[in-house]
Amino acid sequence: MRVAAVDCGTNSVRLLVADVGDERLREVERRMEIVRLGQGVDETGRLAPDALERTFKAMRAYRELIDRHGATATRVVATSATRDAANRQEFVDGVREIFGVEPEVISGAEEAELSFTGATKGLLCLSPETEVPQGPLPPYLVVDIGGGSTEFVVGSEHAEAALSVDIGCVRLTERHLRGAGDPPSAPALEAVVADIEAALDRVEAEVPVRRAHTLVGLAGSVTTVAGIALDLPAYDPERIHHSRLSAEQVHQVTRRLLAMTHGERANVPVMHPGRVDVIGVGALILDRIVRRFAFSQVVVSEHDILDGIAWSLDAA
């Protein structure tokens, strides 16, 4: 069955066209555009008109690809920015017009479940002959660091506990680092850390994170940190997928990013232009998670909620 999955987050809108069936997913097309849909949402509570238009423009291009590849089922999922927006009906109406299906503004718990499925389905299928000998050990803590929120999911074959908290790289950058200097000042970064730690207090109280043997990191902040740690000359998803970063590598890359100017970050070979101003906070969120829960390494996954959406269409 050929399906199309669309994930519209706070920072980016992404497309996966894939053939799914018999417990296999074969990627046909994967695209990502940074549209910054969540621009200003934390401050205004509304989706900005120009942010909506950037998002709809990317979606129109995706609709053309879906039609070209002949996908027979499409699911459009929207996450943190649209959950928070007072005018989210404008988004819903625009998406329905483009794709002909109702977008699902899912809860944080649903987002976490889809992320867990997308991230761990491949891990569960690994054999000793693969690039990850003997496979990472469950239970897993899957962490999806987005633009507006971060999802935490613990489970083995299925998600067993999940929580979404409002610490995302766009949200915290807009909240604390506007006008905070280049590179940002120590007091501004301390304010970011305070918000992260307060959210992690809640995570630790509500999710059994310390049961997990393996930390699996998802989304652009994590994969960008991995690309930097691996010293890649360009972004290479195949090299990044299922790579393992030590805690020390995470600490080093985070310190390096936070000490850089905007221009220096823009010149990092693996850096997507749309992540330049938020990657420092994204890395800092990952760093604080590793420190707080004493993980020795992170398994990095290029497969995430988008793959989970595709798998859900196979099960429908």
Side-chain angles (χ1 to χ4, degrees):
M1 180 180 181
R2 181 157 291 182
V3 302
V6 179
D7 167 39
C8 190
T10 302
N11 200 41
S12 64
V13 58
R14 301 181 301 142
L15 168 71
L16 172 63
V17 179
D19 294 330
V20 293
D22 298 325
E23 292 299 302
R24 294 180 181 273
L25 185 150
R26 185 182 72 84
E27 180 179 317
V28 176
E29 180 105 37
R30 192 183 293 260
R31 294 288 184 95
M32 186 272 287
E33 294 289 338
I34 290 186
V35 294
R36 200 60 62 82
L37 177 62
Q39 171 191 329
V41 166
D42 189 55
E43 182 178 351
T44 68
R46 299 181 63 83
L47 300 168
D50 54 340
L52 282 167
E53 184 49 43
R54 288 194 300 269
T55 303
F56 294 154
K57 180 180 178 181
M59 287 181 166
R60 291 184 195 105
Y62 288 172
R63 174 59 192 267
E64 292 179 6
L65 287 169
I66 291 168
D67 291 344
R68 186 186 311 163
H69 288 302
T72 57
T74 299
R75 186 180 183 190
V76 182
V77 165
T79 53
S80 178
T82 39
R83 278 200 302 269
D84 298 341
N87 62 332
R88 73 180 190 177
Q89 192 60 44
E90 294 179 42
F91 170 82
V92 170
D93 292 344
V95 172
R96 188 191 303 112
E97 180 181 348
I98 293 167
F99 291 109
V101 298
E102 190 81 10
E104 301 171 51
V105 183
I106 62 174
S107 68
E110 291 173 292
E111 183 177 356
E113 176 74 25
L114 290 169
S115 294
F116 184 85
T117 299
T120 62
K121 199 106 174 163
L123 292 176
L124 294 172
C125 294
L126 291 175
S127 68
E129 290 75 33
T130 67
E131 63 198 68
V132 186
Q134 300 180 352
L137 291 174
Y140 308 111
L141 171 62
V142 174
V143 173
D144 186 345
I145 301 174
S149 62
T150 295
E151 282 63 56
F152 294 78
V153 200
V154 172
S156 295
E157 294 187 10
H158 303 284
E160 297 162 13
L163 183 68
S164 177
V165 289
D166 284 342
I167 50 169
C169 58
V170 175
R171 186 187 298 273
L172 295 187
T173 297
E174 290 188 347
R175 182 180 294 172
H176 296 297
L177 299 192
R178 281 180 173 172
D182 186 25
S185 67
L189 292 176
E190 288 168 4
V192 174
V193 169
D195 277 6
I196 296 170
E197 291 295 335
L200 295 184
D201 287 343
R202 184 182 168 202
V203 170
E204 188 159 22
E206 298 185 34
V207 180
V209 288
R210 296 191 185 274
R211 280 186 47 226
H213 293 303
T214 302
L215 173 62
V216 182
L218 316 184
S221 291
V222 178
T223 58
T224 300
V225 168
I228 296 169
L230 295 170
D231 199 25
L232 299 181
Y235 194 90
D236 185 344
E238 291 187 4
R239 291 280 306 279
I240 290 170
H241 186 49
H242 287 164
S243 61
R244 298 188 184 198
L245 303 183
S246 69
E248 185 55 35
Q249 285 177 302
V250 173
H251 304 332
Q252 288 178 357
V253 171
T254 301
R255 287 194 297 268
R256 178 181 166 191
L257 286 168
L258 293 175
M260 286 179 168
T261 64
H262 185 277
E264 289 169 339
R265 293 192 302 276
N267 287 326
V268 173
V270 300
M271 189 73 65
H272 188 289
R275 297 202 190 283
V276 174
D277 57 339
V278 298
I279 185 58
V281 169
L284 187 55
I285 293 169
L286 177 63
D287 183 71
R288 300 310 299 189
I289 293 168
V290 169
R291 291 178 185 275
R292 176 68 170 262
F293 303 123
F295 284 101
S296 62
Q297 65 176 8
V298 184
V299 176
V300 180
S301 178
E302 285 277 351
H303 295 178
D304 51 28
I305 186 173
L306 200 56
D307 303 76
I309 297 167
W311 281 114
S312 74
L313 286 166
D314 180 51

